[in-house]
Amino acid sequence: MKSLDTLISTNRNTENRKTVSIANAADKEVLLAVRDALEQDLCSFILFGSVEKIKDAAKKVSLDLESPFIIVKDTATREEAAQAAVKAVSRQEADVLMKGNIATNILLKAVLNKEFGLRTGNILSHVALFEIPGRERLVFLTDPAMNIAPNLKEKAEIIKNAVMVARGIGLETPKVAVLAPVETVNEAMQSTVDAALLTQMQKRGQIKNCIVDGPLAFDNAVSTEAAKHKGIQSEVAGDPDILLVPTIDVGNALYKSFIYFAGANVAAMVSGAKAPIVLPSRSDDAKSKLYSLSLALATTTTF
């Protein structure tokens, strides 16, 4: 897949529409994404929140709430909206959970609720898919937003979560580059030790449905020329589908660099729950939210 627009087009479904549950939907950019998704025949929606506020926001973006593909359900507080939206997914009334005008911690508290939440026992991790100008195809980055300094076990689960998403968009055996400052294992750099262990774990079948290689510095991970110059022989170097970062510091810097320096488009979601979760940032525009929604819809069959 070469573009995020292709991701949208391949998710159009006029017959067996998936349903997206939005927590506290009274938000201009969120409802713009809803309007655009309906125009693209992507899915149906259940909008939770204050009905009056949702109506006011919908008028501003010319969203017809009388659409047969929209259900609006009134809730009194953000907490109630989060719980109701999560319950809709838990009860299989909806396939995807999406954050509206609500703090992430409030929504995740509902997601992790032991009675009605979406927890699986696995780690939750953030997976971003980038369309970077000048590159021929899309590339995933994980985890730039949720796990601060994951240990070896957590990194293995983050890879598994990202692979599940990658397989949802048609990458049967994605290539995972485990990033570190250097290519040689150095006991003083835990990221290089973990990268080497993750590589062996994949070769021994502990991490499935992908090819893992590391440690790889960023230049050698993304550039065939750089890898050849350093004499690195690898199935992954220069041709990765997924970039695994060692810490949130690295991931956050790369994520924002791709957007602000490279002008990249991005789709992002949370993997590891019982269903895909879309957690857009307040700074994300409607187009980015639509891309993220399309990514989440694409992965419903792999969850």
Side-chain angles (χ1 to χ4, degrees), residues 35-52:
R35 186 197 68 187
D36 293 345
L38 292 176
E39 289 176 354
Q40 298 279 357
D41 288 322
L42 287 182
C43 56
S44 300
F45 292 93
I46 306 175
L47 309 180
F48 294 93
S50 164
V51 170
E52 292 306 314

Side-chain angles (χ1 to χ4, degrees), residues 96-118:
V96 173
L97 175 66
M98 184 173 181
K99 171 188 168 186
N101 185 14
I102 190 171
T104 298
N105 66 312
I106 294 176
L107 185 59
L108 289 181
K109 182 178 180 181
V111 168
L112 297 175
N113 185 285
K114 292 181 179 179
E115 294 181 10
F116 57 79
L118 304 175

Side-chain angles (χ1 to χ4, degrees), residues 111-235:
V111 168
L112 297 175
N113 185 285
K114 292 181 179 179
E115 294 181 10
F116 57 79
L118 304 175
R119 54 196 294 161
T120 62
N122 296 331
I123 194 171
L124 297 183
S125 56
H126 190 269
V127 185
L129 179 61
F130 285 93
E131 179 186 340
I132 302 174
R135 293 192 66 84
E136 292 185 359
R137 57 185 181 142
L138 307 179
V139 64
F140 286 96
L141 178 72
T142 193
D143 175 347
M146 292 194 73
N147 294 283
I148 296 172
N151 59 31
L152 178 65
K153 179 182 177 182
E154 290 167 337
K155 287 176 181 177
E157 291 189 7
I158 290 170
I159 289 176
K160 293 173 185 177
N161 286 349
V163 168
M164 185 162 55
V165 176
R167 286 169 65 84
I169 67 165
L171 295 171
E172 288 300 317
T173 311
K175 299 177 181 179
V176 183
V178 186
L179 299 183
V182 295
E183 293 73 42
T184 55
V185 177
N186 184 331
E187 291 183 3
M189 295 182 187
Q190 189 61 42
S191 60
T192 66
V193 177
D194 287 352
L197 290 171
L198 290 166
T199 301
Q200 287 301 313
M201 288 170 70
Q202 181 268 307
K203 290 181 178 179
R204 295 185 178 185
Q206 293 172 267
I207 302 174
K208 302 180 184 298
N209 300 316
C210 62
I211 300 171
V212 178
D213 195 20
L216 289 169
F218 182 76
D219 55 345
N220 301 313
V222 301
S223 169
T224 303
E225 291 74 16
K228 285 181 179 178
H229 183 72
K230 288 197 174 180
I232 298 172
Q233 296 183 355
S234 165
E235 292 182 78

Side-chain angles (χ1 to χ4, degrees), residues 128-133 135 139-142 144 179 218 222 243 245 250-266:
L129 179 61
F130 285 93
E131 179 186 340
I132 302 174
R135 293 192 66 84
V139 64
F140 286 96
L141 178 72
T142 193
L179 299 183
F218 182 76
V222 301
L243 300 173
V245 298
V250 177
N252 185 269
L254 279 179
Y255 185 104
K256 292 177 179 175
S257 295
F258 288 167
I259 294 172
Y260 291 101
F261 280 177
N265 289 319
V266 63

